[in-house]
């Protein structure tokens, strides 16, 4: 190596070190002041920060959330209309019929669905999401969803979202006509990592459903799960994928390894890494609803809820999840009250 090449390499290395060292200063100007989300490479620099910078990055993410989203927190409850027996092989999911997990196929009846919506509304939640463990809805499921939505609307003042897998255009139009406010369909992980997580359908198939939902005028809810063996580079890639989609809401889940699934033996994501990821996603998506979802209890514990809400989160799922237990709804609501974070009013979500 010549001396000139050596000096060039040293300069490049110094520039890179300087860039990493300044990433929070760059983010403060770019994201906080201008509202421009971090790029994929910039998100990676945040994810690579040492844990002793965690307080700084969470504080900046909180400032960004307050500046571009405000103090309101959107509260949502979810219920599984059809549980288990799914034909897909999502390696994290105990509802797959291909794995030896303890979850078995079951349907909930319409009165139980309405009661769940009522209980969700009593917590102050403004959103109720109907979920089904399917590749995509068949005629029977669409009929059940239509009946459930009608029954809920007759008794409960709450916005209704759905998560029913991949859709065709006719199904998108039907859900729109039913008055579905928001549709959830997670990309789950970075495009480059997706084949390691799911093999029975493609990332592109999921993307296609999301584009149809957006084009139909429904709100797009799309996030994923962190801690599924992805690299930091792939986590940054995932944030960039989501930024390109421009979803209205991003639910952030953390892997809660489920017995009997291919990912059942993976380690839980370290809390500091999880919180740093929350902040990084906020800096990539300054105006998006960023929701705490599954796995936060096992990953972060009780203190993690406060740290996340003061580190970029502005929405929560209250109560239990689809196949795992969450925190009691009262705990989250009391925390929001203690932090002076008002629940977003229903008329603000319409």
């Amino acid at each position: 190596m010549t001396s000139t090449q050596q000096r060039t390499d040293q300069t490049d290395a110094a520039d890179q070190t300087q860039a990493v060292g300044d990433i929070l200063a760059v983010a403060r100007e770019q994201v906080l002041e201008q509202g421009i989300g971090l790029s994929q490479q910039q998100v990676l620099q945040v994810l690579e920060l040492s844990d002793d910078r965690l307080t700084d990055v969470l504080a900046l993410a909180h400032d960004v959330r307050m500046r571009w989203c405000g103090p309101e927190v959107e509260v949502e409850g979810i219920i599984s209309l059809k549980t288990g027996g799914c034909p897909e092989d999502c390696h994290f999911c105990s509802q797959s019929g291909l794995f030896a997990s303890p979850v078995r196929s079951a349907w909930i009846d319409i009165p139980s669905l309405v009661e769940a919506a009522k209980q969700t509304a009593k917590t102050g939640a403004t959103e109720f999401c109907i979920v089904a463990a399917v590749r995509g809805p068949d005629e029977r499921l669409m009929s059940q969803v239509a009946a459930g939505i009608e029954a809920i609307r007759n008794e409960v003042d709450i916005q209704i979202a759905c998560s029913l897998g991949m859709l065709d255009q006719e199904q998108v139009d039907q859900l729109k006509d039913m008055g579905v406010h928001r549709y959830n369909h997670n990309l789950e992980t970075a495009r480059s990592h997706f084949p390691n997580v799911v093999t029975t359908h493609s990332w592109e198939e999921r993307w296609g459903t999301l584009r149809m939902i957006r084009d139909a005028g429904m709100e797009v809810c799309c996030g994923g799960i962190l801690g599924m063996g992805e690299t930091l580079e792939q986590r940054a890639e995932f944030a960039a994928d989501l930024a390109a989609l421009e979803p209205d809401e991003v639910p952030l889940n953390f892997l809660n390894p489920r017995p009997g699934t291919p990912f059942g033996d993976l380690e839980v994501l370290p809390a500091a890494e999880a919180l740093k990821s929350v902040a990084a996603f906020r800096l990539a998506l300054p105006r998006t609803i960023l929701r705490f979802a599954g796995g936060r209890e096992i990953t972060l514990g009780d203190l993690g809820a406060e740290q996340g809400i003061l580190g970029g989160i502005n929405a929560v799922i209250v109560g239990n999840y689809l196949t795992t237990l969450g925190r009691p709804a009262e705990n989250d609501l009391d925390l929001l009250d203690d932090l002076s974070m008002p629940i977003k009013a229903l008329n603000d979500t319409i």
Side-chain angles (χ1 to χ4, degrees), residues 76-77 113 117 126-130 145-146 148-154 156-163 175 178-183 218 346 349:
E76 179 184 43
L113 189 67
T126 55
E127 193 91 10
F128 181 69
C129 188
I130 300 172
V145 170
I149 290 175
E150 182 179 7
I152 291 169
R153 291 200 186 285
N154 287 337
V156 188
D157 185 17
I158 197 166
Q159 290 285 16
I160 298 174
C162 285
S163 180
L175 291 172
M178 291 177 201
V180 172
H181 164 62
R182 182 182 294 162
Y183 193 82
M218 281 183 278
L346 177 60
T349 69

Side-chain angles (χ1 to χ4, degrees), residues 167-183:
L167 305 174
D168 59 32
Q169 187 61 59
E170 181 180 0
Q171 292 165 336
V172 169
D173 295 339
Q174 288 173 345
L175 291 172
K176 173 71 172 177
D177 291 342
M178 291 177 201
V180 172
H181 164 62
R182 182 182 294 162
Y183 193 82

Side-chain angles (χ1 to χ4, degrees), residues 247-280:
D248 299 277
E249 174 188 343
V250 170
L252 280 183
N253 300 268
F254 306 99
L255 182 69
N256 184 348
R258 307 316 300 152
T261 67
F263 288 169
D265 294 328
L266 290 183
E267 294 184 3
V268 173
L269 199 65
E273 188 174 342
L275 287 169
K276 200 183 306 174
S277 298
V278 167

Side-chain angles (χ1 to χ4, degrees), residues 20 23-24 38 42-62 226 230 232 235-236 239 252 254 269-284 290 292 299-300 304 307-308 310-313:
V20 172
I23 186 58
L24 295 189
L38 295 186
Q42 289 172 322
V43 170
L44 178 59
Q45 292 175 6
V46 172
L47 293 172
E48 291 176 335
L49 289 172
S50 60
D51 288 352
D52 61 6
R53 302 298 307 279
L54 179 60
T55 299
D56 296 333
V57 70
L58 289 174
L60 177 56
H62 178 65
L226 306 183
E230 75 277 4
L232 292 184
R235 203 170 294 166
L252 280 183
F254 306 99
L269 199 65
E273 188 174 342
L275 287 169
K276 200 183 306 174
S277 298
V278 167
F281 274 67
R282 169 53 69 201
L283 296 176
L290 193 61
F292 255 157
T299 303
L300 301 173
Q307 289 177 294
L310 294 179
I313 291 293

Side-chain angles (χ1 to χ4, degrees), residues 5-147:
Q5 288 174 321
Q6 188 174 24
R7 284 196 303 272
T8 299
D9 290 344
Q10 290 172 341
T11 300
D12 290 343
D15 289 344
Q16 185 176 8
T17 299
Q18 182 70 16
V20 172
D22 288 342
I23 186 58
L24 295 189
V26 170
R28 181 167 293 279
E29 171 61 28
Q30 177 180 320
V31 188
L32 180 61
E33 301 301 330
Q34 301 180 44
I36 301 171
L38 295 186
S39 67
Q40 180 174 334
Q41 184 58 39
Q42 289 172 322
V43 170
L44 178 59
Q45 292 175 6
V46 172
L47 293 172
E48 291 176 335
L49 289 172
S50 60
D51 288 352
D52 61 6
R53 302 298 307 279
L54 179 60
T55 299
D56 296 333
V57 70
L58 289 174
L60 177 56
H62 178 65
D63 289 345
V64 168
R65 169 267 178 108
M66 294 294 286
R67 170 74 181 272
W68 296 106
C69 299
E72 295 84 8
V73 176
E74 186 179 283
V75 176
E76 179 184 43
I78 60 176
I79 188 71
S80 182
L81 177 62
K82 189 265 181 183
T83 302
C86 182
E88 305 305 290
D89 73 345
C90 305
H91 292 9
F92 54 84
C93 185
S94 59
Q95 299 199 66
S96 172
L98 304 178
F99 308 142
S101 64
V103 176
R104 293 295 175 259
S105 182
W107 289 75
I108 189 173
D109 59 33
I110 299 302
S112 297
L113 189 67
V114 173
E115 181 60 27
K118 287 181 178 179
Q119 295 304 315
T120 297
K122 285 181 180 179
T123 68
T126 55
E127 193 91 10
F128 181 69
C129 188
I130 300 172
V131 183
V134 291
R135 175 184 175 89
D138 58 14
E139 187 174 342
R140 176 194 178 190
L141 179 55
M142 291 295 286
S143 296
Q144 285 284 91
V145 170

Side-chain angles (χ1 to χ4, degrees), residues 106 191 274 345:
R191 187 174 188 170

Side-chain angles (χ1 to χ4, degrees), residues 293-340:
R296 64 182 168 109
E297 293 79 13
I298 189 173
T299 303
L300 301 173
D302 290 339
L303 289 178
E306 179 175 346
Q307 289 177 294
I309 291 170
L310 294 179
I313 291 293
N314 65 329
V316 294
I317 292 176
V318 294
N320 296 328
Y321 304 106
L322 299 177
T323 61
T324 58
L325 298 177
R327 282 158 50 96
E330 296 77 9
N331 289 15
D332 282 325
L333 299 176
D334 288 345
L335 174 60
L336 296 179
D337 185 58
D338 291 343
L339 298 176
S340 299

